[in-house]
């Protein structure tokens, strides 16, 4: 068990290192390596996981995707190009293994279709200072509630809870694992008991619900 934990820590550090390089060099995508780091740290060290999700490297390259917002076309293209290059190398090396080539081709097609249609595309807009800014626009719901959550163990728990809110079809939510809170946007007023029930069905506890100051 200890060896497995150490292995995940090592993989996480490798992911952070390669992700940092990818954030600087255009030929290397940061996304897959940072995703590896997030997964590895979540599996091995709560302290390292909290540190990682608080870094600008995570917030600028991975946070939007893990919160269900999506990726920009630029990021998608970089990831798909890298996948294509790596799989093309494998395809050439499997010249004597036709079945392997067929499997590799099918995997490549799946990856391309997933990133094109399965991952939401974010729009890049201009800030007032002229710099590009990526925003995932939430519907303009008129009501907002904050919920203090108990029971989340990792970033995946936050994603699961967001999904529980989204499944209702009448609200959107942003769950922050680092602060153990959920920000819920509602189309119309909903009593706190109903919100608590949604949290409970997802497997967690709503300790406190309040309306944030405007």
């Amino acid at each position: 068990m200890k060896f497995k934990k150490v292995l995940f820590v090592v993989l996480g550090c490798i992911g952070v290192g390669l992700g940092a390089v990818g954030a600087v060099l255009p030929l290397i995508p940061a996304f897959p390596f940072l995703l590896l780091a997030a997964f590895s740290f979540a599996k091995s060290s709560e302290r390292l996981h909290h540190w990682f999700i608080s870094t600008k490297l995570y917030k600028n390259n991975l946070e939007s995707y893990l919160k269900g917002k999506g990726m920009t076309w630029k990021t998608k293209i970089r990831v798909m190009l890298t996948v294509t290059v790596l799989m093309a190398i494998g395809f050439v090396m499997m010249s004597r293994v036709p079945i392997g080539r067929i499997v590799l081709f099918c995997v490549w097609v799946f990856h391309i279709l997933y990133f094109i249609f399965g991952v939401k595309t974010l729009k890049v807009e201009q800030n007032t200072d002229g710099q590009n800014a990526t925003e995932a626009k939430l519907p303009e719901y008129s009501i907002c509630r904050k919920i203090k959550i108990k029971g989340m163990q990792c970033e995946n728990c936050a994603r699961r809870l967001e999904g529980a809110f989204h499944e209702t079809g009448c609200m959107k939510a942003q769950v922050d694992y680092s602060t153990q809170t959920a920000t819920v946007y509602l189309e119309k007023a909903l009593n706190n008991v109903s919100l608590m029930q949604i949290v409970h069905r997802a497997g967690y506890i709503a300790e406190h619900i309040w309306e944030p100051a405007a």
Side-chain angles (χ1 to χ4, degrees):
M1 189 69 178
K2 186 176 180 180
F3 172 77
K4 185 177 180 180
K5 183 176 180 179
V6 171
L7 178 61
F8 276 122
V9 170
V10 172
L11 288 174
C13 291
I14 292 174
V16 170
L18 293 176
V21 173
V24 177
L25 300 179
L27 295 178
I28 303 176
F31 173 79
F33 299 117
L34 296 179
L35 188 61
L36 171 65
F39 174 80
S40 299
F41 287 150
K43 288 288 186 179
S44 59
S45 172
E46 185 173 349
R47 182 178 178 182
L48 285 174
H49 180 68
H50 284 164
W51 164 78
F52 178 61
I53 64 176
S54 67
T55 63
K56 288 185 178 180
L57 192 63
Y58 169 85
K59 292 180 181 296
N60 293 339
N61 296 278
L62 194 62
E63 186 176 47
S64 291
Y65 173 76
L66 291 181
K67 286 189 174 182
K69 296 178 181 178
M71 301 166 63
T72 63
W73 266 117
K74 182 178 179 180
T75 303
K76 283 187 178 185
I77 291 172
R78 289 176 65 183
V79 173
M80 289 188 291
L81 282 176
T82 301
V83 169
T84 300
V85 170
L86 292 176
M87 290 193 173
I89 293 173
F91 190 85
V92 172
M93 294 177 66
M94 289 184 177
S95 58
R96 298 184 180 181
V97 188
I99 295 179
R101 279 188 162 187
I102 293 173
V103 172
L104 198 61
F105 177 76
C106 291
V107 172
W108 174 78
V109 171
F110 170 79
H111 275 82
I112 299 302
L113 292 177
Y114 172 74
F115 278 102
I116 292 177
F117 301 107
V119 179
K120 183 179 178 180
T121 302
L122 299 180
K123 293 182 179 180
V124 178
E125 300 183 350
Q126 292 289 325
N127 282 329
T128 54
D129 58 3
Q131 295 180 337
N132 285 337
T134 301
E135 296 183 356
K137 293 186 176 179
L138 289 170
E140 294 182 358
Y141 297 128
S142 58
I143 301 171
C144 180
R145 293 291 183 270
K146 284 276 191 177
I147 308 175
K148 185 66 177 178
I149 308 296
K150 181 179 180 181
M152 293 192 296
Q153 302 297 321
C154 64
E155 195 72 33
N156 288 334
C157 294
R159 305 291 75 75
R160 177 182 177 184
L161 186 53
E162 282 183 354
F165 285 114
H166 296 169
E167 285 175 1
T168 64
C170 62
M171 64 185 74
K172 295 291 184 181
Q174 294 176 329
V175 181
D176 189 339
Y177 169 67
S178 61
T179 61
Q180 298 285 293
T181 58
T183 304
V184 184
Y185 301 89
L186 304 154
E187 290 182 347
K188 56 184 179 180
L190 190 67
N191 61 62
N192 290 347
V193 174
S194 297
L195 293 174
M196 293 174 69
Q197 289 175 342
I198 294 172
V199 175
H200 178 72
R201 286 197 297 268
Y204 310 105
I205 299 173
E207 292 187 312
H208 178 53
I209 300 178
W210 72 99
E211 182 178 352

